[in-house]
Amino acid sequence: MDTWRHYLRLRLLDASAEHGPKALAQAHFDYRSRAIRGLKAPPARSERVILMVGGQYGGSPLSHTLGELFVAEAFSPLAQQRALAMLDDIKAAMRQRITQLPWMSEPTKQLALAKLAAMRAKIGAPAAWRPYDGLALRADDYLGNLLRINAWATADRLAELDKPVDRERWNTSPHIVNAFAAGGNQIIFPAGILQPPFFDARADDASNYGGIGMVIGHEITHHFDDRGRRFDAAGNLRDWWQPADAGAYQARADRVAALYGGYEPVPGVRINGRLTLGENISDMAGVQIAYDGLQRALARQRAAGQPAPLVEGATPEQRFFYANATIWRTKYRTEALVDQLRTDSHSPGRWRVLAPLTHTPAFALAFGCKPGDGMVAGDPVSVW
Ligand SMILES: [Zn+2]
């Protein structure tokens, strides 16, 4: 019990240090931010407070309070409509890919297609806002508030034990710029990511499919990546694969792991192909089914006698790939990049573009690349 007490005390101090007395906050910054991630100075207090309330990637317990304000200001029903239309095209593209997979047997294909059909999407914002009943905040007790918020959020989650799963629940606030493949065979696109550069209601289809469309393809594929494939159409952990198909999948996944494991973003530090495998499989298939989805949209426009024009001299296919490269633009300090390579399940942004596009024949076609060019794989790696 003593060991547990020491451990939990350490975790509590570490988790709350940045909001505590100055000496503690400074020690926490020096270690967590300066030494590990190369930051030169802590963010301004205003920025820290917004992060505390709103969270950064997944959201804090209070984040829905900020999300409600964000949605009122920045979310349009048009964005939701167009995202739904893209989702239809991209799901149809995935359906076609599964149907045509040369390495998968018919019984497994049928279950994969059933899983895809059962996949539920949440786009934009929750239908109802979460009540914060029972949470008491005090204007003169910042750290105490943080502890009360955590205690409230923990009790809120524990109260769900033994109850049926609430499939309407949003664990993430809608203002977050991120997307998720969640339990229960769900994919989630908060209003925060339905904004430029991912999505723009005034932009042409090509750039939207290359932006948020690729993210949609990525999240769909997560339910078929090396972990996601172990869950069935209802989101339950159940093996629905014919053994030979599982073996064929594994062989393809191994090629993806080897491919990314060969990249060395920082001299001496390679991408960990195993740690990042699920994300990389989802990136590779995600960009390809988004591209196929765009082709469906373009075919509809041609059929309607309104073929997509060149924009700034670029074809829709070229603009799709520009948008894809744009959404992954990222700047890292070297320390932060090394930290990401060692601990994060995502490959760094630059390689989220280079690797998938090198193995996407449509990319070479769009830009007239020749065999032997830097971004043309001789023997493209593909899982889905
Ligand atoms: Zn992902």
Side-chain angles (χ1 to χ4, degrees):
M1 192 52 81
D2 264 359
T3 309
W4 272 106
R5 281 199 187 97
H6 288 310
Y7 175 73
L8 293 173
R9 187 169 293 143
L10 175 70
R11 300 299 306 154
L12 178 67
L13 282 171
D14 186 36
S16 48
E18 63 174 314
H19 305 291
K22 200 162 182 189
L24 201 57
Q26 185 66 46
H28 183 266
F29 173 81
D30 286 344
Y31 176 57
R32 287 270 176 218
S33 300
R34 194 198 307 273
I36 296 181
R37 298 190 60 82
L39 241 67
K40 302 287 180 254
R45 172 178 286 190
S46 58
E47 215 174 298
R48 291 208 324 264
V49 169
I50 292 207
L51 283 177
M52 195 285 290
V53 175
Q56 194 164 12
Y57 301 115
S60 83
L62 279 188
S63 61
H64 284 235
T65 57
L66 191 62
E68 196 170 347
L69 299 173
F70 177 83
V71 165
E73 190 73 32
F75 183 52
S76 76
L78 180 64
Q80 191 169 33
Q81 265 171 35
R82 286 192 63 182
L84 279 167
M86 279 190 269
L87 178 63
D88 279 349
D89 277 338
I90 296 163
K91 260 184 143 176
M94 184 63 165
R95 202 177 304 130
Q96 189 169 7
R97 263 179 191 267
I98 293 171
T99 307
Q100 294 172 348
L101 281 180
W103 54 267
M104 187 183 271
S105 73
E106 204 51 39
T108 309
K109 274 186 189 177
Q110 288 311 319
L111 293 172
L113 291 168
K115 178 172 178 179
L116 180 66
M119 195 179 290
R120 278 196 53 190
K122 289 175 176 164
I123 296 179
W129 295 103
R130 183 186 296 182
Y132 283 91
D133 297 346
L135 174 60
L137 300 179
R138 279 174 42 190
D140 62 348
D141 185 15
Y142 182 64
L143 188 56
N145 284 339
L146 294 179
L147 297 177
R148 278 187 291 273
I149 291 165
N150 278 338
W152 178 87
T154 303
D156 187 51
R157 293 314 303 262
L158 287 178
E160 294 190 356
L161 268 180
D162 298 327
K163 287 188 190 163
V165 176
D166 176 5
R167 295 188 190 274
E168 300 307 316
R169 183 187 173 101
W170 279 63
N171 287 322
T172 305
S173 169
H175 74 278
I176 295 291
V177 185
N178 207 342
F180 307 88
N185 198 15
Q186 298 188 52
I187 46 178
I188 298 155
F189 306 93
I193 200 168
L194 295 169
Q195 315 283 334
F198 292 91
F199 170 81
D200 188 339
R202 292 159 304 180
D204 62 330
D205 274 338
S207 49
N208 284 332
Y209 278 74
I212 192 70
M214 183 271 163
V215 177
I216 292 173
H218 173 98
E219 303 305 339
I220 290 174
T221 311
H222 263 315
H223 287 296
F224 298 95
D225 72 13
D226 60 315
R227 252 163 29 111
R229 75 172 187 86
R230 299 174 193 280
F231 296 82
D232 67 12
N236 292 325
L237 189 61
R238 184 174 70 83
D239 187 1
W240 47 274
W241 289 66
Q242 298 290 321
D245 296 329
Y249 183 97
Q250 195 54 51
R252 279 166 177 74
D254 287 347
R255 282 194 72 198
V256 176
L259 169 70
Y260 281 80
Y263 291 116
E264 193 173 317
V266 176
V269 192
R270 289 172 184 272
I271 293 178
N272 181 334
R274 288 285 156 199
L275 176 65
T276 55
L277 181 57
E279 293 297 335
N280 298 336
I281 289 173
S282 302
D283 279 345
M284 296 188 85
V287 72
Q288 299 193 7
I289 59 177
Y291 180 89
D292 295 347
L294 171 66
Q295 294 307 316
R296 300 177 89 88
L298 294 176
R300 274 198 307 276
Q301 289 164 19
R302 277 194 301 272
Q306 292 173 317
L310 295 186
V311 179
E312 292 165 9
T315 64
E317 285 75 11
Q318 290 171 336
R319 293 170 56 69
F320 172 92
F321 290 112
Y322 290 156
N324 183 237
T326 302
I327 61 171
W328 297 119
R329 283 179 308 185
T330 316
K331 285 180 85 172
Y332 298 94
R333 295 178 197 278
T334 304
E335 293 91 333
L337 182 53
V338 169
D339 181 44
Q340 169 156 357
L341 287 166
R342 289 190 175 138
T343 62
D344 198 300
S345 60
H346 301 83
S347 297
R350 185 179 174 85
W351 287 269
R352 297 189 70 169
V353 178
L354 290 178
L357 299 196
T358 300
H359 291 261
T360 298
F363 172 77
L365 209 62
F367 291 96
C369 308
K370 309 265 173 305
D373 284 352
M375 283 183 69
V376 182
D379 179 16
V381 174
S382 141
V383 177
W384 288 101

mmCIF file of all heavy atoms in Angstrom, residues 87-122:
data_model
loop_
_atom_site.group_PDB
_atom_site.id
_atom_site.type_symbol
_atom_site.label_atom_id
_atom_site.label_comp_id
_atom_site.label_asym_id
_atom_site.label_seq_id
_atom_site.Cartn_x
_atom_site.Cartn_y
_atom_site.Cartn_z
ATOM 1 N N LEU A 87 -18.078 11.728 -46.864
ATOM 2 C CA LEU A 87 -18.043 10.448 -46.153
ATOM 3 C C LEU A 87 -18.688 9.352 -46.998
ATOM 4 O O LEU A 87 -18.163 8.236 -47.089
ATOM 5 C CB LEU A 87 -18.766 10.611 -44.811
ATOM 6 C CG LEU A 87 -18.875 9.365 -43.938
ATOM 7 C CD1 LEU A 87 -17.494 8.882 -43.522
ATOM 8 C CD2 LEU A 87 -19.718 9.651 -42.700
ATOM 9 N N ASP A 88 -19.817 9.664 -47.653
ATOM 10 C CA ASP A 88 -20.479 8.672 -48.508
ATOM 11 C C ASP A 88 -19.550 8.206 -49.624
ATOM 12 O O ASP A 88 -19.425 7.014 -49.889
ATOM 13 C CB ASP A 88 -21.744 9.285 -49.145
ATOM 14 C CG ASP A 88 -22.914 9.262 -48.179
ATOM 15 O OD1 ASP A 88 -22.799 8.590 -47.130
ATOM 16 O OD2 ASP A 88 -23.931 9.929 -48.465
ATOM 17 N N ASP A 89 -18.913 9.174 -50.299
ATOM 18 C CA ASP A 89 -18.015 8.832 -51.409
ATOM 19 C C ASP A 89 -16.839 7.991 -50.933
ATOM 20 O O ASP A 89 -16.420 7.041 -51.606
ATOM 21 C CB ASP A 89 -17.458 10.118 -52.051
ATOM 22 C CG ASP A 89 -18.432 10.719 -53.058
ATOM 23 O OD1 ASP A 89 -19.297 9.984 -53.564
ATOM 24 O OD2 ASP A 89 -18.319 11.932 -53.319
ATOM 25 N N ILE A 90 -16.290 8.350 -49.780
ATOM 26 C CA ILE A 90 -15.064 7.689 -49.323
ATOM 27 C C ILE A 90 -15.385 6.297 -48.791
ATOM 28 O O ILE A 90 -14.628 5.346 -48.991
ATOM 29 C CB ILE A 90 -14.332 8.591 -48.292
ATOM 30 C CG1 ILE A 90 -13.899 9.884 -49.005
ATOM 31 C CG2 ILE A 90 -13.141 7.883 -47.677
ATOM 32 C CD1 ILE A 90 -13.532 11.018 -48.090
ATOM 33 N N LYS A 91 -16.551 6.176 -48.146
ATOM 34 C CA LYS A 91 -16.982 4.843 -47.711
ATOM 35 C C LYS A 91 -17.230 3.947 -48.930
ATOM 36 O O LYS A 91 -16.865 2.766 -48.929
ATOM 37 C CB LYS A 91 -18.284 4.947 -46.906
ATOM 38 C CG LYS A 91 -18.089 4.890 -45.401
ATOM 39 C CD LYS A 91 -19.453 4.899 -44.723
ATOM 40 C CE LYS A 91 -19.471 4.020 -43.494
ATOM 41 N NZ LYS A 91 -20.752 4.089 -42.785
ATOM 42 N N ALA A 92 -17.838 4.535 -49.968
ATOM 43 C CA ALA A 92 -18.089 3.756 -51.188
ATOM 44 C C ALA A 92 -16.763 3.296 -51.794
ATOM 45 O O ALA A 92 -16.641 2.175 -52.301
ATOM 46 C CB ALA A 92 -18.888 4.586 -52.193
ATOM 47 N N ALA A 93 -15.753 4.175 -51.736
ATOM 48 C CA ALA A 93 -14.441 3.817 -52.273
ATOM 49 C C ALA A 93 -13.829 2.675 -51.467
ATOM 50 O O ALA A 93 -13.226 1.758 -52.031
ATOM 51 C CB ALA A 93 -13.523 5.043 -52.259
ATOM 52 N N MET A 94 -13.976 2.720 -50.157
ATOM 53 C CA MET A 94 -13.448 1.640 -49.308
ATOM 54 C C MET A 94 -14.187 0.338 -49.610
ATOM 55 O O MET A 94 -13.571 -0.735 -49.667
ATOM 56 C CB MET A 94 -13.584 2.022 -47.830
ATOM 57 C CG MET A 94 -12.979 1.023 -46.853
ATOM 58 S SD MET A 94 -11.177 0.847 -47.065
ATOM 59 C CE MET A 94 -10.707 0.010 -45.546
ATOM 60 N N ARG A 95 -15.512 0.445 -49.802
ATOM 61 C CA ARG A 95 -16.308 -0.739 -50.123
ATOM 62 C C ARG A 95 -15.753 -1.413 -51.377
ATOM 63 O O ARG A 95 -15.553 -2.616 -51.438
ATOM 64 C CB ARG A 95 -17.771 -0.304 -50.335
ATOM 65 C CG ARG A 95 -18.795 -1.406 -50.149
ATOM 66 C CD ARG A 95 -20.214 -0.847 -50.300
ATOM 67 N NE ARG A 95 -20.479 0.264 -49.386
ATOM 68 C CZ ARG A 95 -21.002 1.449 -49.739
ATOM 69 N NH1 ARG A 95 -21.334 1.690 -50.995
ATOM 70 N NH2 ARG A 95 -21.213 2.394 -48.840
ATOM 71 N N GLN A 96 -15.483 -0.578 -52.373
ATOM 72 C CA GLN A 96 -14.979 -1.112 -53.640
ATOM 73 C C GLN A 96 -13.605 -1.769 -53.454
ATOM 74 O O GLN A 96 -13.335 -2.827 -53.999
ATOM 75 C CB GLN A 96 -14.904 0.015 -54.665
ATOM 76 C CG GLN A 96 -14.602 -0.491 -56.049
ATOM 77 C CD GLN A 96 -14.792 0.601 -57.090
ATOM 78 O OE1 GLN A 96 -15.032 1.760 -56.761
ATOM 79 N NE2 GLN A 96 -14.684 0.226 -58.353
ATOM 80 N N ARG A 97 -12.766 -1.108 -52.662
ATOM 81 C CA ARG A 97 -11.431 -1.680 -52.421
ATOM 82 C C ARG A 97 -11.518 -3.033 -51.747
ATOM 83 O O ARG A 97 -10.825 -3.978 -52.126
ATOM 84 C CB ARG A 97 -10.619 -0.750 -51.513
ATOM 85 C CG ARG A 97 -9.727 0.118 -52.304
ATOM 86 C CD ARG A 97 -8.923 1.062 -51.481
ATOM 87 N NE ARG A 97 -8.357 1.968 -52.442
ATOM 88 C CZ ARG A 97 -7.147 1.796 -52.992
ATOM 89 N NH1 ARG A 97 -6.358 0.818 -52.629
ATOM 90 N NH2 ARG A 97 -6.719 2.623 -53.906
ATOM 91 N N ILE A 98 -12.377 -3.121 -50.716
ATOM 92 C CA ILE A 98 -12.512 -4.407 -50.012
ATOM 93 C C ILE A 98 -12.996 -5.468 -50.992
ATOM 94 O O ILE A 98 -12.462 -6.577 -51.054
ATOM 95 C CB ILE A 98 -13.494 -4.269 -48.822
ATOM 96 C CG1 ILE A 98 -12.903 -3.361 -47.745
ATOM 97 C CG2 ILE A 98 -13.828 -5.647 -48.235
ATOM 98 C CD1 ILE A 98 -13.866 -2.987 -46.624
ATOM 99 N N THR A 99 -14.006 -5.109 -51.793
ATOM 100 C CA THR A 99 -14.569 -6.063 -52.748
ATOM 101 C C THR A 99 -13.500 -6.593 -53.695
ATOM 102 O O THR A 99 -13.516 -7.765 -54.065
ATOM 103 C CB THR A 99 -15.679 -5.364 -53.566
ATOM 104 O OG1 THR A 99 -16.586 -4.774 -52.635
ATOM 105 C CG2 THR A 99 -16.438 -6.347 -54.427
ATOM 106 N N GLN A 100 -12.541 -5.721 -54.060
ATOM 107 C CA GLN A 100 -11.548 -6.107 -55.072
ATOM 108 C C GLN A 100 -10.232 -6.632 -54.502
ATOM 109 O O GLN A 100 -9.323 -6.949 -55.269
ATOM 110 C CB GLN A 100 -11.257 -4.901 -55.973
ATOM 111 C CG GLN A 100 -12.470 -4.492 -56.799
ATOM 112 C CD GLN A 100 -12.266 -3.193 -57.551
ATOM 113 O OE1 GLN A 100 -11.307 -2.461 -57.292
ATOM 114 N NE2 GLN A 100 -13.167 -2.887 -58.474
ATOM 115 N N LEU A 101 -10.111 -6.723 -53.172
ATOM 116 C CA LEU A 101 -8.827 -7.155 -52.594
ATOM 117 C C LEU A 101 -8.448 -8.542 -53.116
ATOM 118 O O LEU A 101 -9.214 -9.488 -52.979
ATOM 119 C CB LEU A 101 -8.925 -7.231 -51.070
ATOM 120 C CG LEU A 101 -8.832 -5.929 -50.281
ATOM 121 C CD1 LEU A 101 -8.953 -6.242 -48.796
ATOM 122 C CD2 LEU A 101 -7.549 -5.185 -50.571
ATOM 123 N N PRO A 102 -7.251 -8.659 -53.697
ATOM 124 C CA PRO A 102 -6.874 -9.961 -54.241
ATOM 125 C C PRO A 102 -6.498 -10.970 -53.159
ATOM 126 O O PRO A 102 -6.535 -12.176 -53.401
ATOM 127 C CB PRO A 102 -5.656 -9.635 -55.120
ATOM 128 C CG PRO A 102 -5.108 -8.372 -54.574
ATOM 129 C CD PRO A 102 -6.249 -7.610 -53.959
ATOM 130 N N TRP A 103 -6.163 -10.499 -51.971
ATOM 131 C CA TRP A 103 -5.606 -11.419 -50.966
ATOM 132 C C TRP A 103 -6.641 -11.862 -49.924
ATOM 133 O O TRP A 103 -6.319 -12.654 -49.048
ATOM 134 C CB TRP A 103 -4.407 -10.778 -50.267
ATOM 135 C CG TRP A 103 -4.680 -9.414 -49.667
ATOM 136 C CD1 TRP A 103 -4.480 -8.210 -50.284
ATOM 137 C CD2 TRP A 103 -5.206 -9.119 -48.374
ATOM 138 N NE1 TRP A 103 -4.849 -7.184 -49.448
ATOM 139 C CE2 TRP A 103 -5.289 -7.715 -48.261
ATOM 140 C CE3 TRP A 103 -5.602 -9.902 -47.282
ATOM 141 C CZ2 TRP A 103 -5.765 -7.068 -47.110
ATOM 142 C CZ3 TRP A 103 -6.073 -9.262 -46.136
ATOM 143 C CH2 TRP A 103 -6.147 -7.867 -46.063
ATOM 144 N N MET A 104 -7.868 -11.362 -50.020
ATOM 145 C CA MET A 104 -8.839 -11.675 -48.966
ATOM 146 C C MET A 104 -9.936 -12.596 -49.507
ATOM 147 O O MET A 104 -10.440 -12.389 -50.602
ATOM 148 C CB MET A 104 -9.453 -10.374 -48.432
ATOM 149 C CG MET A 104 -10.346 -10.583 -47.212
ATOM 150 S SD MET A 104 -11.128 -9.024 -46.673
ATOM 151 C CE MET A 104 -9.884 -8.406 -45.550
ATOM 152 N N SER A 105 -10.300 -13.596 -48.695
ATOM 153 C CA SER A 105 -11.313 -14.561 -49.139
ATOM 154 C C SER A 105 -12.720 -13.980 -48.945
ATOM 155 O O SER A 105 -12.920 -13.026 -48.195
ATOM 156 C CB SER A 105 -11.174 -15.861 -48.358
ATOM 157 O OG SER A 105 -11.638 -15.673 -47.035
ATOM 158 N N GLU A 106 -13.660 -14.589 -49.633
ATOM 159 C CA GLU A 106 -15.029 -14.079 -49.646
ATOM 160 C C GLU A 106 -15.667 -13.994 -48.242
ATOM 161 O O GLU A 106 -16.260 -12.973 -47.910
ATOM 162 C CB GLU A 106 -15.884 -14.949 -50.595
ATOM 163 C CG GLU A 106 -17.112 -14.258 -51.145
ATOM 164 C CD GLU A 106 -16.810 -12.898 -51.775
ATOM 165 O OE1 GLU A 106 -15.774 -12.736 -52.455
ATOM 166 O OE2 GLU A 106 -17.625 -11.981 -51.574
ATOM 167 N N PRO A 107 -15.534 -15.033 -47.397
ATOM 168 C CA PRO A 107 -16.185 -14.935 -46.069
ATOM 169 C C PRO A 107 -15.663 -13.743 -45.258
ATOM 170 O O PRO A 107 -16.448 -13.031 -44.613
ATOM 171 C CB PRO A 107 -15.818 -16.259 -45.389
ATOM 172 C CG PRO A 107 -15.473 -17.195 -46.501
ATOM 173 C CD PRO A 107 -14.922 -16.357 -47.613
ATOM 174 N N THR A 108 -14.358 -13.498 -45.283
ATOM 175 C CA THR A 108 -13.810 -12.350 -44.543
ATOM 176 C C THR A 108 -14.266 -11.043 -45.182
ATOM 177 O O THR A 108 -14.600 -10.078 -44.493
ATOM 178 C CB THR A 108 -12.262 -12.425 -44.498
ATOM 179 O OG1 THR A 108 -11.875 -13.713 -44.030
ATOM 180 C CG2 THR A 108 -11.690 -11.381 -43.558
ATOM 181 N N LYS A 109 -14.298 -11.018 -46.514
ATOM 182 C CA LYS A 109 -14.768 -9.801 -47.203
ATOM 183 C C LYS A 109 -16.183 -9.441 -46.772
ATOM 184 O O LYS A 109 -16.490 -8.267 -46.527
ATOM 185 C CB LYS A 109 -14.765 -10.024 -48.723
ATOM 186 C CG LYS A 109 -13.434 -9.747 -49.376
ATOM 187 C CD LYS A 109 -13.542 -9.846 -50.889
ATOM 188 C CE LYS A 109 -12.142 -9.775 -51.493
ATOM 189 N NZ LYS A 109 -12.155 -9.931 -52.945
ATOM 190 N N GLN A 110 -17.039 -10.435 -46.689
ATOM 191 C CA GLN A 110 -18.433 -10.146 -46.320
ATOM 192 C C GLN A 110 -18.500 -9.507 -44.934
ATOM 193 O O GLN A 110 -19.260 -8.554 -44.711
ATOM 194 C CB GLN A 110 -19.287 -11.430 -46.370
ATOM 195 C CG GLN A 110 -19.576 -11.926 -47.788
ATOM 196 C CD GLN A 110 -20.098 -10.814 -48.705
ATOM 197 O OE1 GLN A 110 -20.923 -9.987 -48.297
ATOM 198 N NE2 GLN A 110 -19.600 -10.754 -49.936
ATOM 199 N N LEU A 111 -17.690 -9.998 -43.998
ATOM 200 C CA LEU A 111 -17.713 -9.444 -42.644
ATOM 201 C C LEU A 111 -17.062 -8.061 -42.610
ATOM 202 O O LEU A 111 -17.492 -7.178 -41.857
ATOM 203 C CB LEU A 111 -17.028 -10.409 -41.672
ATOM 204 C CG LEU A 111 -17.808 -11.725 -41.485
ATOM 205 C CD1 LEU A 111 -17.002 -12.728 -40.687
ATOM 206 C CD2 LEU A 111 -19.145 -11.451 -40.797
ATOM 207 N N ALA A 112 -16.026 -7.860 -43.449
ATOM 208 C CA ALA A 112 -15.402 -6.532 -43.525
ATOM 209 C C ALA A 112 -16.405 -5.519 -44.085
ATOM 210 O O ALA A 112 -16.521 -4.395 -43.581
ATOM 211 C CB ALA A 112 -14.154 -6.587 -44.404
ATOM 212 N N LEU A 113 -17.144 -5.937 -45.104
ATOM 213 C CA LEU A 113 -18.137 -5.032 -45.702
ATOM 214 C C LEU A 113 -19.261 -4.737 -44.706
ATOM 215 O O LEU A 113 -19.748 -3.601 -44.622
ATOM 216 C CB LEU A 113 -18.711 -5.644 -46.985
ATOM 217 C CG LEU A 113 -17.726 -5.718 -48.155
ATOM 218 C CD1 LEU A 113 -18.286 -6.590 -49.284
ATOM 219 C CD2 LEU A 113 -17.384 -4.320 -48.671
ATOM 220 N N ALA A 114 -19.659 -5.749 -43.935
ATOM 221 C CA ALA A 114 -20.709 -5.527 -42.932
ATOM 222 C C ALA A 114 -20.217 -4.555 -41.868
ATOM 223 O O ALA A 114 -20.972 -3.683 -41.395
ATOM 224 C CB ALA A 114 -21.117 -6.857 -42.296
ATOM 225 N N LYS A 115 -18.951 -4.676 -41.513
ATOM 226 C CA LYS A 115 -18.390 -3.763 -40.513
ATOM 227 C C LYS A 115 -18.365 -2.334 -41.053
ATOM 228 O O LYS A 115 -18.733 -1.383 -40.352
ATOM 229 C CB LYS A 115 -16.978 -4.213 -40.113
ATOM 230 C CG LYS A 115 -16.329 -3.276 -39.116
ATOM 231 C CD LYS A 115 -15.023 -3.812 -38.571
ATOM 232 C CE LYS A 115 -14.419 -2.775 -37.610
ATOM 233 N NZ LYS A 115 -13.166 -3.234 -37.021
ATOM 234 N N LEU A 116 -17.950 -2.194 -42.301
ATOM 235 C CA LEU A 116 -17.922 -0.859 -42.913
ATOM 236 C C LEU A 116 -19.330 -0.260 -42.961
ATOM 237 O O LEU A 116 -19.533 0.913 -42.651
ATOM 238 C CB LEU A 116 -17.335 -0.958 -44.327
ATOM 239 C CG LEU A 116 -17.231 0.356 -45.098
ATOM 240 C CD1 LEU A 116 -16.222 1.295 -44.452
ATOM 241 C CD2 LEU A 116 -16.839 0.097 -46.566
ATOM 242 N N ALA A 117 -20.305 -1.084 -43.322
ATOM 243 C CA ALA A 117 -21.682 -0.582 -43.426
ATOM 244 C C ALA A 117 -22.221 -0.166 -42.060
ATOM 245 O O ALA A 117 -23.025 0.768 -41.957
ATOM 246 C CB ALA A 117 -22.578 -1.652 -44.051
ATOM 247 N N ALA A 118 -21.786 -0.844 -41.002
ATOM 248 C CA ALA A 118 -22.302 -0.559 -39.656
ATOM 249 C C ALA A 118 -21.586 0.618 -38.991
ATOM 250 O O ALA A 118 -22.017 1.090 -37.936
ATOM 251 C CB ALA A 118 -22.162 -1.804 -38.784
ATOM 252 N N MET A 119 -20.500 1.085 -39.611
ATOM 253 C CA MET A 119 -19.711 2.154 -38.988
ATOM 254 C C MET A 119 -20.545 3.425 -38.832
ATOM 255 O O MET A 119 -21.210 3.847 -39.772
ATOM 256 C CB MET A 119 -18.474 2.432 -39.847
ATOM 257 C CG MET A 119 -17.405 3.233 -39.149
ATOM 258 S SD MET A 119 -15.975 3.459 -40.254
ATOM 259 C CE MET A 119 -15.319 1.789 -40.318
ATOM 260 N N ARG A 120 -20.511 4.009 -37.641
ATOM 261 C CA ARG A 120 -21.302 5.220 -37.380
ATOM 262 C C ARG A 120 -20.395 6.437 -37.329
ATOM 263 O O ARG A 120 -19.310 6.391 -36.747
ATOM 264 C CB ARG A 120 -22.002 5.110 -36.026
ATOM 265 C CG ARG A 120 -23.281 4.318 -36.055
ATOM 266 C CD ARG A 120 -24.070 4.596 -34.783
ATOM 267 N NE ARG A 120 -24.264 6.031 -34.575
ATOM 268 C CZ ARG A 120 -24.748 6.571 -33.457
ATOM 269 N NH1 ARG A 120 -25.069 5.818 -32.438
ATOM 270 N NH2 ARG A 120 -24.916 7.872 -33.354
ATOM 271 N N ALA A 121 -20.856 7.539 -37.920
ATOM 272 C CA ALA A 121 -20.059 8.769 -37.909
ATOM 273 C C ALA A 121 -20.734 9.828 -37.054
ATOM 274 O O ALA A 121 -21.953 9.971 -37.070
ATOM 275 C CB ALA A 121 -19.882 9.287 -39.330
ATOM 276 N N LYS A 122 -19.913 10.542 -36.302
ATOM 277 C CA LYS A 122 -20.382 11.746 -35.604
ATOM 278 C C LYS A 122 -19.651 12.924 -36.237
ATOM 279 O O LYS A 122 -18.412 12.933 -36.280
ATOM 280 C CB LYS A 122 -20.038 11.672 -34.123
ATOM 281 C CG LYS A 122 -20.859 10.648 -33.356
ATOM 282 C CD LYS A 122 -20.358 10.578 -31.926
ATOM 283 C CE LYS A 122 -21.224 9.643 -31.111
ATOM 284 N NZ LYS A 122 -20.547 9.274 -29.843
#
